[in-house]
mmCIF file of all heavy atoms in Angstrom:
data_model
loop_
_atom_site.group_PDB
_atom_site.id
_atom_site.type_symbol
_atom_site.label_atom_id
_atom_site.label_comp_id
_atom_site.label_asym_id
_atom_site.label_seq_id
_atom_site.Cartn_x
_atom_site.Cartn_y
_atom_site.Cartn_z
ATOM 1 N N TYR A 1 93.827 43.723 22.566
ATOM 2 C CA TYR A 1 94.447 44.521 23.619
ATOM 3 C C TYR A 1 95.944 44.245 23.644
ATOM 4 O O TYR A 1 96.370 43.104 23.531
ATOM 5 C CB TYR A 1 93.853 44.181 24.987
ATOM 6 C CG TYR A 1 92.424 44.638 25.122
ATOM 7 C CD1 TYR A 1 91.368 43.755 24.973
ATOM 8 C CD2 TYR A 1 92.134 45.973 25.386
ATOM 9 C CE1 TYR A 1 90.055 44.176 25.090
ATOM 10 C CE2 TYR A 1 90.825 46.416 25.501
ATOM 11 C CZ TYR A 1 89.797 45.510 25.354
ATOM 12 O OH TYR A 1 88.497 45.931 25.466
ATOM 13 N N LYS A 2 96.705 45.306 23.755
ATOM 14 C CA LYS A 2 98.155 45.196 23.917
ATOM 15 C C LYS A 2 98.561 46.181 25.000
ATOM 16 O O LYS A 2 98.291 47.380 24.870
ATOM 17 C CB LYS A 2 98.881 45.520 22.606
ATOM 18 C CG LYS A 2 100.373 45.318 22.680
ATOM 19 C CD LYS A 2 101.003 45.487 21.312
ATOM 20 C CE LYS A 2 102.486 45.185 21.403
ATOM 21 N NZ LYS A 2 103.113 45.249 20.095
ATOM 22 N N LYS A 3 99.149 45.660 26.052
ATOM 23 C CA LYS A 3 99.529 46.493 27.202
ATOM 24 C C LYS A 3 98.354 47.347 27.666
ATOM 25 O O LYS A 3 98.460 48.540 27.861
ATOM 26 C CB LYS A 3 100.740 47.359 26.866
ATOM 27 C CG LYS A 3 101.978 46.548 26.567
ATOM 28 C CD LYS A 3 103.169 47.441 26.268
ATOM 29 C CE LYS A 3 104.373 46.582 25.941
ATOM 30 N NZ LYS A 3 105.530 47.386 25.567
ATOM 31 N N ARG A 4 97.207 46.702 27.780
ATOM 32 C CA ARG A 4 95.956 47.310 28.242
ATOM 33 C C ARG A 4 95.401 48.374 27.307
ATOM 34 O O ARG A 4 94.509 49.116 27.680
ATOM 35 C CB ARG A 4 96.114 47.883 29.641
ATOM 36 C CG ARG A 4 96.374 46.823 30.670
ATOM 37 C CD ARG A 4 96.270 47.413 32.039
ATOM 38 N NE ARG A 4 97.175 46.698 32.925
ATOM 39 C CZ ARG A 4 97.566 47.143 34.086
ATOM 40 N NH1 ARG A 4 97.144 48.294 34.534
ATOM 41 N NH2 ARG A 4 98.366 46.432 34.814
ATOM 42 N N LYS A 5 95.959 48.474 26.109
ATOM 43 C CA LYS A 5 95.432 49.421 25.129
ATOM 44 C C LYS A 5 94.581 48.675 24.119
ATOM 45 O O LYS A 5 94.943 47.603 23.661
ATOM 46 C CB LYS A 5 96.574 50.151 24.400
ATOM 47 C CG LYS A 5 97.316 51.136 25.281
ATOM 48 C CD LYS A 5 98.391 51.844 24.511
ATOM 49 C CE LYS A 5 97.779 53.013 23.791
ATOM 50 N NZ LYS A 5 98.763 53.872 23.155
ATOM 51 N N ASP A 6 93.459 49.262 23.774
ATOM 52 C CA ASP A 6 92.526 48.730 22.781
ATOM 53 C C ASP A 6 93.056 49.140 21.399
ATOM 54 O O ASP A 6 93.140 50.323 21.093
ATOM 55 C CB ASP A 6 91.165 49.364 23.087
ATOM 56 C CG ASP A 6 90.096 49.078 22.063
ATOM 57 O OD1 ASP A 6 90.409 48.875 20.878
ATOM 58 O OD2 ASP A 6 88.921 49.088 22.451
ATOM 59 N N ILE A 7 93.441 48.154 20.568
ATOM 60 C CA ILE A 7 94.020 48.435 19.261
ATOM 61 C C ILE A 7 93.116 47.877 18.171
ATOM 62 O O ILE A 7 92.918 46.668 18.079
ATOM 63 C CB ILE A 7 95.433 47.822 19.131
ATOM 64 C CG1 ILE A 7 96.252 48.258 20.308
ATOM 65 C CG2 ILE A 7 96.011 48.087 17.757
ATOM 66 C CD1 ILE A 7 97.671 48.457 20.181
ATOM 67 N N THR A 8 92.562 48.768 17.348
ATOM 68 C CA THR A 8 91.722 48.351 16.225
ATOM 69 C C THR A 8 92.624 47.961 15.068
ATOM 70 O O THR A 8 93.506 48.718 14.688
ATOM 71 C CB THR A 8 90.779 49.496 15.803
ATOM 72 O OG1 THR A 8 89.911 49.802 16.904
ATOM 73 C CG2 THR A 8 89.946 49.103 14.591
ATOM 74 N N ASN A 9 92.396 46.760 14.509
ATOM 75 C CA ASN A 9 93.223 46.348 13.371
ATOM 76 C C ASN A 9 92.450 46.229 12.070
ATOM 77 O O ASN A 9 93.061 46.059 11.028
ATOM 78 C CB ASN A 9 94.021 45.080 13.685
ATOM 79 C CG ASN A 9 93.183 43.920 14.137
ATOM 80 O OD1 ASN A 9 92.119 44.095 14.687
ATOM 81 N ND2 ASN A 9 93.675 42.721 13.926
ATOM 82 N N TRP A 10 91.126 46.333 12.096
ATOM 83 C CA TRP A 10 90.353 46.383 10.850
ATOM 84 C C TRP A 10 88.925 46.834 11.107
ATOM 85 O O TRP A 10 88.428 46.752 12.215
ATOM 86 C CB TRP A 10 90.371 45.043 10.104
ATOM 87 C CG TRP A 10 89.870 43.851 10.874
ATOM 88 C CD1 TRP A 10 90.622 42.928 11.530
ATOM 89 C CD2 TRP A 10 88.506 43.444 11.064
ATOM 90 N NE1 TRP A 10 89.817 41.984 12.122
ATOM 91 C CE2 TRP A 10 88.518 42.279 11.844
ATOM 92 C CE3 TRP A 10 87.291 43.958 10.649
ATOM 93 C CZ2 TRP A 10 87.356 41.613 12.221
ATOM 94 C CZ3 TRP A 10 86.126 43.305 11.036
ATOM 95 C CH2 TRP A 10 86.179 42.133 11.803
ATOM 96 N N PHE A 11 88.311 47.318 10.031
ATOM 97 C CA PHE A 11 86.886 47.652 9.992
ATOM 98 C C PHE A 11 86.276 46.913 8.809
ATOM 99 O O PHE A 11 86.942 46.729 7.789
ATOM 100 C CB PHE A 11 86.662 49.157 9.762
ATOM 101 C CG PHE A 11 87.158 50.032 10.871
ATOM 102 C CD1 PHE A 11 88.385 50.659 10.781
ATOM 103 C CD2 PHE A 11 86.384 50.236 12.006
ATOM 104 C CE1 PHE A 11 88.842 51.482 11.798
ATOM 105 C CE2 PHE A 11 86.829 51.057 13.027
ATOM 106 C CZ PHE A 11 88.065 51.681 12.919
ATOM 107 N N SER A 12 85.031 46.510 8.923
ATOM 108 C CA SER A 12 84.287 45.954 7.795
ATOM 109 C C SER A 12 82.951 46.669 7.712
ATOM 110 O O SER A 12 82.291 46.894 8.729
ATOM 111 C CB SER A 12 84.062 44.449 7.950
ATOM 112 O OG SER A 12 85.248 43.747 7.697
ATOM 113 N N VAL A 13 82.575 47.014 6.484
ATOM 114 C CA VAL A 13 81.359 47.782 6.247
ATOM 115 C C VAL A 13 80.383 46.973 5.398
ATOM 116 O O VAL A 13 80.658 45.838 5.018
ATOM 117 C CB VAL A 13 81.694 49.124 5.549
ATOM 118 C CG1 VAL A 13 82.570 49.986 6.444
ATOM 119 C CG2 VAL A 13 82.370 48.895 4.211
ATOM 120 N N GLU A 14 79.276 47.610 5.063
ATOM 121 C CA GLU A 14 78.236 47.003 4.254
ATOM 122 C C GLU A 14 78.804 46.285 3.026
ATOM 123 O O GLU A 14 79.698 46.791 2.353
ATOM 124 C CB GLU A 14 77.279 48.103 3.806
ATOM 125 C CG GLU A 14 76.057 47.620 3.081
ATOM 126 C CD GLU A 14 75.106 48.774 2.809
ATOM 127 O OE1 GLU A 14 74.729 49.473 3.765
ATOM 128 O OE2 GLU A 14 74.742 48.958 1.628
ATOM 129 N N ASN A 15 78.288 45.094 2.774
ATOM 130 C CA ASN A 15 78.682 44.240 1.641
ATOM 131 C C ASN A 15 80.102 43.697 1.738
ATOM 132 O O ASN A 15 80.702 43.341 0.729
ATOM 133 C CB ASN A 15 78.468 44.945 0.294
ATOM 134 C CG ASN A 15 77.008 45.147 0.000
ATOM 135 O OD1 ASN A 15 76.172 44.293 0.309
ATOM 136 N ND2 ASN A 15 76.678 46.274 -0.585
ATOM 137 N N GLU A 16 80.623 43.605 2.950
ATOM 138 C CA GLU A 16 81.934 42.990 3.161
ATOM 139 C C GLU A 16 81.787 41.818 4.131
ATOM 140 O O GLU A 16 80.831 41.741 4.903
ATOM 141 C CB GLU A 16 82.935 43.999 3.742
ATOM 142 C CG GLU A 16 83.352 45.060 2.781
ATOM 143 C CD GLU A 16 84.413 45.983 3.347
ATOM 144 O OE1 GLU A 16 84.701 45.965 4.572
ATOM 145 O OE2 GLU A 16 84.964 46.751 2.550
ATOM 146 N N PHE A 17 82.778 40.936 4.078
ATOM 147 C CA PHE A 17 82.851 39.823 5.026
ATOM 148 C C PHE A 17 83.718 40.220 6.203
ATOM 149 O O PHE A 17 84.590 41.077 6.078
ATOM 150 C CB PHE A 17 83.458 38.586 4.349
ATOM 151 C CG PHE A 17 82.562 37.959 3.341
ATOM 152 C CD1 PHE A 17 82.718 38.233 1.993
ATOM 153 C CD2 PHE A 17 81.550 37.095 3.727
ATOM 154 C CE1 PHE A 17 81.885 37.655 1.047
ATOM 155 C CE2 PHE A 17 80.711 36.511 2.791
ATOM 156 C CZ PHE A 17 80.885 36.788 1.453
ATOM 157 N N ALA A 18 83.501 39.554 7.325
ATOM 158 C CA ALA A 18 84.327 39.775 8.507
ATOM 159 C C ALA A 18 84.411 38.479 9.295
ATOM 160 O O ALA A 18 83.448 37.718 9.359
ATOM 161 C CB ALA A 18 83.729 40.878 9.381
ATOM 162 N N THR A 19 85.567 38.238 9.863
ATOM 163 C CA THR A 19 85.772 37.124 10.780
ATOM 164 C C THR A 19 87.136 37.311 11.416
ATOM 165 O O THR A 19 87.923 38.151 10.994
ATOM 166 C CB THR A 19 85.692 35.755 10.061
ATOM 167 O OG1 THR A 19 85.624 34.716 11.045
ATOM 168 C CG2 THR A 19 86.867 35.509 9.139
ATOM 169 N N SER A 20 87.416 36.530 12.416
ATOM 170 C CA SER A 20 88.771 36.460 12.952
ATOM 171 C C SER A 20 89.450 35.338 12.166
ATOM 172 O O SER A 20 89.364 34.166 12.523
ATOM 173 C CB SER A 20 88.734 36.147 14.447
ATOM 174 O OG SER A 20 90.047 36.051 14.946
ATOM 175 N N MET A 21 90.077 35.696 11.060
ATOM 176 C CA MET A 21 90.526 34.719 10.063
ATOM 177 C C MET A 21 91.426 33.630 10.636
ATOM 178 O O MET A 21 91.220 32.451 10.364
ATOM 179 C CB MET A 21 91.227 35.431 8.902
ATOM 180 C CG MET A 21 91.516 34.516 7.730
ATOM 181 S SD MET A 21 90.047 33.718 7.032
ATOM 182 C CE MET A 21 89.259 35.093 6.250
ATOM 183 N N TYR A 22 92.422 33.996 11.411
ATOM 184 C CA TYR A 22 93.334 32.988 11.969
ATOM 185 C C TYR A 22 92.551 31.946 12.759
ATOM 186 O O TYR A 22 92.713 30.744 12.564
ATOM 187 C CB TYR A 22 94.400 33.644 12.858
ATOM 188 C CG TYR A 22 95.192 32.633 13.650
ATOM 189 C CD1 TYR A 22 96.215 31.904 13.035
ATOM 190 C CD2 TYR A 22 94.890 32.363 14.977
ATOM 191 C CE1 TYR A 22 96.916 30.947 13.750
ATOM 192 C CE2 TYR A 22 95.585 31.413 15.695
ATOM 193 C CZ TYR A 22 96.604 30.709 15.078
ATOM 194 O OH TYR A 22 97.293 29.752 15.782
ATOM 195 N N SER A 23 91.692 32.398 13.647
ATOM 196 C CA SER A 23 90.936 31.488 14.493
ATOM 197 C C SER A 23 89.931 30.678 13.682
ATOM 198 O O SER A 23 89.765 29.477 13.888
ATOM 199 C CB SER A 23 90.214 32.283 15.586
ATOM 200 O OG SER A 23 89.456 31.432 16.395
ATOM 201 N N TYR A 24 89.253 31.334 12.747
ATOM 202 C CA TYR A 24 88.240 30.672 11.928
ATOM 203 C C TYR A 24 88.854 29.521 11.126
ATOM 204 O O TYR A 24 88.282 28.442 11.037
ATOM 205 C CB TYR A 24 87.594 31.705 11.006
ATOM 206 C CG TYR A 24 86.439 31.195 10.193
ATOM 207 C CD1 TYR A 24 85.181 31.016 10.759
ATOM 208 C CD2 TYR A 24 86.598 30.894 8.846
ATOM 209 C CE1 TYR A 24 84.114 30.562 10.012
ATOM 210 C CE2 TYR A 24 85.522 30.435 8.087
ATOM 211 C CZ TYR A 24 84.290 30.273 8.678
ATOM 212 O OH TYR A 24 83.245 29.819 7.933
ATOM 213 N N VAL A 25 90.023 29.746 10.573
ATOM 214 C CA VAL A 25 90.673 28.735 9.730
ATOM 215 C C VAL A 25 91.387 27.668 10.568
ATOM 216 O O VAL A 25 91.284 26.479 10.296
ATOM 217 C CB VAL A 25 91.661 29.402 8.744
ATOM 218 C CG1 VAL A 25 92.497 28.366 8.004
ATOM 219 C CG2 VAL A 25 90.907 30.280 7.760
ATOM 220 N N SER A 26 92.098 28.098 11.604
ATOM 221 C CA SER A 26 92.919 27.162 12.387
ATOM 222 C C SER A 26 92.135 26.435 13.479
ATOM 223 O O SER A 26 92.624 25.438 14.006
ATOM 224 C CB SER A 26 94.071 27.913 13.053
ATOM 225 O OG SER A 26 93.583 28.744 14.097
ATOM 226 N N GLU A 27 90.961 26.950 13.827
ATOM 227 C CA GLU A 27 90.145 26.430 14.920
ATOM 228 C C GLU A 27 90.855 26.553 16.263
ATOM 229 O O GLU A 27 90.633 25.772 17.182
ATOM 230 C CB GLU A 27 89.712 24.985 14.655
ATOM 231 C CG GLU A 27 88.865 24.846 13.409
ATOM 232 C CD GLU A 27 88.383 23.434 13.168
ATOM 233 O OE1 GLU A 27 87.999 22.769 14.151
ATOM 234 O OE2 GLU A 27 88.371 23.008 12.003
ATOM 235 N N LYS A 28 91.730 27.551 16.377
ATOM 236 C CA LYS A 28 92.426 27.836 17.625
ATOM 237 C C LYS A 28 91.856 29.120 18.215
ATOM 238 O O LYS A 28 91.324 29.958 17.489
ATOM 239 C CB LYS A 28 93.925 27.991 17.368
ATOM 240 C CG LYS A 28 94.565 26.697 16.919
ATOM 241 C CD LYS A 28 96.038 26.864 16.709
ATOM 242 C CE LYS A 28 96.638 25.526 16.269
ATOM 243 N NZ LYS A 28 98.036 25.641 15.913
ATOM 244 N N PRO A 29 91.984 29.292 19.529
ATOM 245 C CA PRO A 29 91.471 30.514 20.157
ATOM 246 C C PRO A 29 92.050 31.754 19.491
ATOM 247 O O PRO A 29 93.226 31.790 19.120
ATOM 248 C CB PRO A 29 91.934 30.400 21.611
ATOM 249 C CG PRO A 29 92.077 28.932 21.831
ATOM 250 C CD PRO A 29 92.555 28.379 20.519
ATOM 251 N N ASN A 30 91.208 32.755 19.341
ATOM 252 C CA ASN A 30 91.672 33.955 18.654
ATOM 253 C C ASN A 30 92.182 34.990 19.645
ATOM 254 O O ASN A 30 91.882 34.943 20.830
ATOM 255 C CB ASN A 30 90.577 34.491 17.721
ATOM 256 C CG ASN A 30 89.499 35.268 18.404
ATOM 257 O OD1 ASN A 30 89.753 36.347 18.915
ATOM 258 N ND2 ASN A 30 88.279 34.749 18.411
ATOM 259 N N MET A 31 92.952 35.933 19.107
ATOM 260 C CA MET A 31 93.532 36.998 19.916
ATOM 261 C C MET A 31 92.701 38.271 19.825
ATOM 262 O O MET A 31 92.970 39.228 20.525
ATOM 263 C CB MET A 31 94.961 37.289 19.437
ATOM 264 C CG MET A 31 95.889 36.096 19.512
ATOM 265 S SD MET A 31 96.118 35.515 21.194
ATOM 266 C CE MET A 31 97.103 36.844 21.841
ATOM 267 N N GLU A 32 91.730 38.288 18.915
ATOM 268 C CA GLU A 32 90.987 39.524 18.718
ATOM 269 C C GLU A 32 89.521 39.374 19.083
ATOM 270 O O GLU A 32 89.007 38.281 19.248
ATOM 271 C CB GLU A 32 91.139 40.025 17.284
ATOM 272 C CG GLU A 32 90.466 39.181 16.241
ATOM 273 C CD GLU A 32 90.729 39.686 14.827
ATOM 274 O OE1 GLU A 32 91.194 40.810 14.634
ATOM 275 O OE2 GLU A 32 90.460 38.919 13.902
ATOM 276 N N ASN A 33 88.892 40.508 19.191
ATOM 277 C CA ASN A 33 87.463 40.622 19.439
ATOM 278 C C ASN A 33 86.838 41.233 18.191
ATOM 279 O O ASN A 33 87.497 41.981 17.474
ATOM 280 C CB ASN A 33 87.201 41.571 20.615
ATOM 281 C CG ASN A 33 87.948 41.158 21.858
ATOM 282 O OD1 ASN A 33 87.530 40.275 22.575
ATOM 283 N ND2 ASN A 33 89.085 41.800 22.113
ATOM 284 N N ILE A 34 85.581 40.928 17.965
ATOM 285 C CA ILE A 34 84.824 41.594 16.899
ATOM 286 C C ILE A 34 83.595 42.202 17.554
ATOM 287 O O ILE A 34 82.879 41.511 18.287
ATOM 288 C CB ILE A 34 84.409 40.626 15.780
ATOM 289 C CG1 ILE A 34 85.639 40.006 15.116
ATOM 290 C CG2 ILE A 34 83.539 41.348 14.745
ATOM 291 C CD1 ILE A 34 85.322 38.944 14.074
ATOM 292 N N GLU A 35 83.377 43.481 17.288
ATOM 293 C CA GLU A 35 82.207 44.145 17.841
ATOM 294 C C GLU A 35 81.537 44.998 16.783
ATOM 295 O O GLU A 35 82.170 45.447 15.826
ATOM 296 C CB GLU A 35 82.564 44.998 19.058
ATOM 297 C CG GLU A 35 83.101 46.351 18.743
ATOM 298 C CD GLU A 35 83.206 47.276 19.952
ATOM 299 O OE1 GLU A 35 82.423 47.150 20.910
ATOM 300 O OE2 GLU A 35 84.080 48.139 19.916
ATOM 301 N N ALA A 36 80.242 45.209 16.986
ATOM 302 C CA ALA A 36 79.477 46.112 16.127
ATOM 303 C C ALA A 36 79.682 47.537 16.633
ATOM 304 O O ALA A 36 79.514 47.802 17.818
ATOM 305 C CB ALA A 36 77.995 45.747 16.159
ATOM 306 N N LEU A 37 80.059 48.433 15.737
ATOM 307 C CA LEU A 37 80.228 49.835 16.113
ATOM 308 C C LEU A 37 78.923 50.614 15.986
ATOM 309 O O LEU A 37 78.834 51.741 16.461
ATOM 310 C CB LEU A 37 81.307 50.496 15.258
ATOM 311 C CG LEU A 37 82.732 50.037 15.548
ATOM 312 C CD1 LEU A 37 83.714 50.759 14.648
ATOM 313 C CD2 LEU A 37 83.093 50.252 17.008
ATOM 314 N N GLU A 38 77.943 50.015 15.315
ATOM 315 C CA GLU A 38 76.609 50.608 15.217
ATOM 316 C C GLU A 38 75.621 49.466 15.070
ATOM 317 O O GLU A 38 76.024 48.320 14.821
ATOM 318 C CB GLU A 38 76.528 51.580 14.033
ATOM 319 C CG GLU A 38 76.851 50.964 12.690
ATOM 320 C CD GLU A 38 76.952 52.001 11.571
ATOM 321 O OE1 GLU A 38 77.426 53.109 11.816
ATOM 322 O OE2 GLU A 38 76.547 51.670 10.451
ATOM 323 N N ASP A 39 74.339 49.750 15.255
ATOM 324 C CA ASP A 39 73.333 48.717 15.021
ATOM 325 C C ASP A 39 73.554 48.170 13.619
ATOM 326 O O ASP A 39 73.724 48.942 12.668
ATOM 327 C CB ASP A 39 71.922 49.293 15.143
ATOM 328 C CG ASP A 39 71.547 49.642 16.579
ATOM 329 O OD1 ASP A 39 72.313 49.304 17.505
ATOM 330 O OD2 ASP A 39 70.491 50.262 16.763
ATOM 331 N N SER A 40 73.602 46.862 13.484
ATOM 332 C CA SER A 40 73.962 46.240 12.208
ATOM 333 C C SER A 40 73.046 45.069 11.900
ATOM 334 O O SER A 40 72.470 44.461 12.801
ATOM 335 C CB SER A 40 75.417 45.740 12.260
ATOM 336 O OG SER A 40 76.314 46.786 12.553
ATOM 337 N N GLN A 41 72.938 44.768 10.620
ATOM 338 C CA GLN A 41 72.237 43.579 10.162
ATOM 339 C C GLN A 41 73.263 42.730 9.431
ATOM 340 O O GLN A 41 73.915 43.201 8.488
ATOM 341 C CB GLN A 41 71.095 43.951 9.228
ATOM 342 C CG GLN A 41 70.011 44.743 9.918
ATOM 343 C CD GLN A 41 68.867 45.079 8.988
ATOM 344 O OE1 GLN A 41 68.860 44.739 7.821
ATOM 345 N NE2 GLN A 41 67.873 45.755 9.523
ATOM 346 N N ILE A 42 73.425 41.504 9.898
ATOM 347 C CA ILE A 42 74.461 40.635 9.344
ATOM 348 C C ILE A 42 73.876 39.269 9.010
ATOM 349 O O ILE A 42 72.812 38.886 9.496
ATOM 350 C CB ILE A 42 75.638 40.465 10.330
ATOM 351 C CG1 ILE A 42 75.169 39.809 11.634
ATOM 352 C CG2 ILE A 42 76.323 41.802 10.595
ATOM 353 C CD1 ILE A 42 76.271 39.455 12.596
ATOM 354 N N PHE A 43 74.597 38.555 8.179
ATOM 355 C CA PHE A 43 74.341 37.144 7.937
ATOM 356 C C PHE A 43 75.569 36.417 8.451
ATOM 357 O O PHE A 43 76.693 36.886 8.293
ATOM 358 C CB PHE A 43 74.162 36.848 6.453
ATOM 359 C CG PHE A 43 72.859 37.312 5.903
ATOM 360 C CD1 PHE A 43 72.710 38.614 5.457
ATOM 361 C CD2 PHE A 43 71.771 36.462 5.858
ATOM 362 C CE1 PHE A 43 71.503 39.056 4.953
ATOM 363 C CE2 PHE A 43 70.554 36.906 5.356
ATOM 364 C CZ PHE A 43 70.420 38.202 4.904
ATOM 365 N N LEU A 44 75.348 35.273 9.092
ATOM 366 C CA LEU A 44 76.494 34.506 9.539
ATOM 367 C C LEU A 44 76.387 33.090 9.022
ATOM 368 O O LEU A 44 75.307 32.574 8.755
ATOM 369 C CB LEU A 44 76.629 34.543 11.066
ATOM 370 C CG LEU A 44 75.554 33.878 11.922
ATOM 371 C CD1 LEU A 44 75.850 32.409 12.158
ATOM 372 C CD2 LEU A 44 75.452 34.614 13.247
ATOM 373 N N MET A 45 77.559 32.496 8.846
ATOM 374 C CA MET A 45 77.637 31.084 8.492
ATOM 375 C C MET A 45 78.623 30.440 9.447
ATOM 376 O O MET A 45 79.746 30.910 9.611
ATOM 377 C CB MET A 45 78.094 30.869 7.059
ATOM 378 C CG MET A 45 78.146 29.382 6.700
ATOM 379 S SD MET A 45 78.676 29.025 5.041
ATOM 380 C CE MET A 45 77.213 29.462 4.152
ATOM 381 N N LYS A 46 78.170 29.390 10.083
ATOM 382 C CA LYS A 46 79.025 28.659 11.001
ATOM 383 C C LYS A 46 80.099 27.887 10.222
ATOM 384 O O LYS A 46 79.834 27.408 9.132
ATOM 385 C CB LYS A 46 78.201 27.703 11.854
ATOM 386 C CG LYS A 46 77.194 28.428 12.717
ATOM 387 C CD LYS A 46 76.699 27.538 13.818
ATOM 388 C CE LYS A 46 75.813 28.303 14.774
ATOM 389 N NZ LYS A 46 76.485 29.361 15.499
ATOM 390 N N ARG A 47 81.289 27.799 10.807
ATOM 391 C CA ARG A 47 82.394 27.114 10.138
ATOM 392 C C ARG A 47 82.020 25.666 9.810
ATOM 393 O O ARG A 47 82.349 25.164 8.746
ATOM 394 C CB ARG A 47 83.643 27.155 11.010
ATOM 395 C CG ARG A 47 84.850 26.553 10.286
ATOM 396 C CD ARG A 47 86.119 26.524 11.114
ATOM 397 N NE ARG A 47 85.908 25.753 12.328
ATOM 398 C CZ ARG A 47 86.013 26.253 13.540
ATOM 399 N NH1 ARG A 47 86.342 27.495 13.733
ATOM 400 N NH2 ARG A 47 85.810 25.490 14.586
#
């Protein structure tokens, strides 16, 4: 969100990876949200 506007900065589709890279690597709170835009099946690995 920037000035109360919802700003999409990336999409990930089938056979791609997704994460909030800055937060995942730095272990600091992230500035972004990740949401499913449709029913999805994913695999996750904890850091």
